Amino acid sequence: MLTTNPFEDDKLREECGVFGIWGADAAAAMVALGLHALQHRGQEAAGISSWDGALFHTHRAMGHVAGNFDRPDVIGRLPGRAAVGHVRYSTTGETALRNVQPLFAELSSGGFAVAHNGNLSNAMKLRHDLVRRGSIFQSTSDTETIIHLVATSHYRTLIDKFIDALKAVEGAYSLVCLTQEGMIGCRDPLGIRPLVLGRVGEAWIFASETVALDVVGAEYIRDVEPGELVIVSDKGLRSHRPFKPVAPRPCIFEHVYFSRPDSIVDGTSVYSVRKAIGAQLAIESPVEADLVVPVPDSGVPAAIGYAQQSGLPFELGIIRSHYVGRTFIQPGDQVRHLGVKLKHNANRALIDGKRIVLIDDSIVRGTTSLKIVQMMRDAGAREVHMRIASPPTRHSCYYGVDTPERAKLLAAQMTVAQMSDYINADSLAFVSVDGLYKARGEEGRDARQPTHCDACFTGAYPTHLTDQEEVAPEDQLSIFAERVVA
C-alpha cells in the first residue's frame, strides 16, 4: 500500500478528538457534524454512542466520519437527545475495531460511554494491577482502564466513583462521558489536552476544539478548566473541582500544528499564533532569498508571518491536490516517486532559478523535509533554506501524541548543522523555545514555571511517567502483546 501524501507520514499526530451533546433533537447527527470538524485529530476510526432515555446505542467503524456516519440508516440507529463521539488516531492499543471509541460498559449505576483524548502514562501499571484483581479487558486501549477503575471503586455515587478513578491515573486526559444521569466533561489537573464547553439552544456541548462548535452553530461558552469536572443534565450545569490546584501546562503543540487554524485555544486564535511564530522565526533566522514558500497546508500561516516580517513575497511554490486519497499500488522507487506527485507538486514556473525559504511546522524523522528540499531542487531552485515553526523535537510525547521513539527523532540524533546536511538544505533553522512562547504573547519560557507542556522540545515532562520508569519491559510486552498481532 502506498499513501500518496509524502508530507503527512512524517508528522506528529494527535491521538483523537471528542464531541458530546446533551439535550438536542437528533443528537447523533449533531455529533457526526462535530466529528467532521475534528477529523484532523484522528483519521483511523470514528464512533458515536447515544442514549434515548432508556437504552444506549453505539456504532463504531474504521475509517473517516464521512462514509460511516453520513448515512441515514446509521444515524437512524442512534436515537436520543444525548450522544458522544470520537475520532481516533491510536497511540496505545492496536488499530482494531475493539479499540474504537466511545468505549461502553454496563456498570452497577447503568450505562457508561467514554470518549478520551490523551494518554495515561501509568495505564500499563494500572491495567496489570486490575487484571491481577480479576478485571477482564476487552480492548488494548488505555481508556478502558478508566472504566474498570470506575467499576471497581467502593464509592457509592457514579460521580464519586469517577473522581476516585481519576485520582488513580496520571498523564493527560480530556474525557466526555455519557451516562443516564447526564454528560460529564473533564480535563486532567494540568489541562494538557483541550476541551471546550458550548451551547446551542438549550443543549450543552463538549468538544476538543471551538471549530466543532462553529460547525453546529453553537456558542462558545468557555474552556473546561484544568482539573474541572463539568456535569450537564436536564437539571442544568454543575461544576466540581476535586483535585488540588496546580499550575496548568496545556500542550503548546496545539498552537503549532494539532488544532485547526480557525480554532481558539487557551483564549487565543491558533491562526494568529502561527503567524506570530512565523514572524518570530523571521526575526531570529533571516536569510537573503526571493520567495517564502509554505509546505501545505500546515506551514501556510507561519509562512505568511515570515513573509510579512521579512518583506519577502509569499508564494505557493508547492501545489497540493485535495482530491487524491490513497492509491493502492505496489511499492517501487519509480512508481512511488510518481505517486507522490499525485498529491503535491512543485510550481516549477515560480521556483526555477529562485532562492527559496521553505516554511514547515516541524521535523520529526526528517524524511519529509528531505523529499521537499529535493522537490524544490528538481524544480530548479537555486537555493533552498528551510525554516521550522517549532523548536527541534528531541523527546517523545507520552500524553496522547504519536511520536516515534527518541532514537528515530532526527533532532535527538543530530545537530542542526548535521540535520541541514542530511536534508540537503542550504541552511536550516528552528524557532527558539523562547520565541515560541513570545509568539503566544509571553516574554519567553520561564524554566522555573513553564506555562505549557513543551516536553517534546525540552524534555521537561510535567507528570510522572510510571510506565516508562517502573513497569518492567517484560510486563509492557505481555500487557499489550496484542498490538504486535494487529
Side-chain angles (χ1 to χ4, degrees), residues 304-372:
I304 293 173
Y306 192 102
Q308 291 177 346
Q309 178 66 39
S310 65
L312 295 173
F314 169 92
E315 296 287 358
L316 297 179
I318 301 172
I319 305 301
R320 176 181 175 183
S321 170
H322 293 267
Y323 305 102
V324 178
R326 291 188 173 190
T327 303
F328 296 89
I329 54 180
Q330 293 300 315
D333 289 343
Q334 182 180 3
V335 177
R336 185 178 298 275
H337 181 68
L338 294 174
V340 162
K341 291 189 174 182
L342 285 175
K343 196 147 193 176
H344 292 86
N345 196 36
N347 190 348
R348 179 177 292 273
L350 189 71
I351 297 300
D352 192 19
K354 301 295 197 307
R355 298 170 299 173
I356 307 301
V357 182
L358 278 172
I359 308 291
D360 204 357
D361 58 85
S362 60
I363 291 181
V364 183
R365 295 176 180 87
T367 54
T368 293
S369 301
L370 187 63
K371 293 175 185 176
I372 299 168

Side-chain angles (χ1 to χ4, degrees), residues 413-432:
Q413 309 304 317
M414 298 182 181
T415 66
V416 173
Q418 290 170 332
M419 293 172 71
S420 182
D421 289 341
Y422 175 80
I423 66 174
N424 195 28
D426 290 284
S427 71
L428 170 67
F430 297 78
V431 74
S432 67

Side-chain angles (χ1 to χ4, degrees), residues 10-11 35 49 88 102 115 134 136 138 205 207 212 214 264-265 290 337 404 440:
D10 189 27
K11 295 289 186 183
L35 293 181
S49 294
R88 181 175 191 261
I136 300 173
Q138 300 299 313
I205 295 176
D214 299 337
I264 306 294
V265 173
D290 302 307
H337 181 68
R440 276 274 304 134

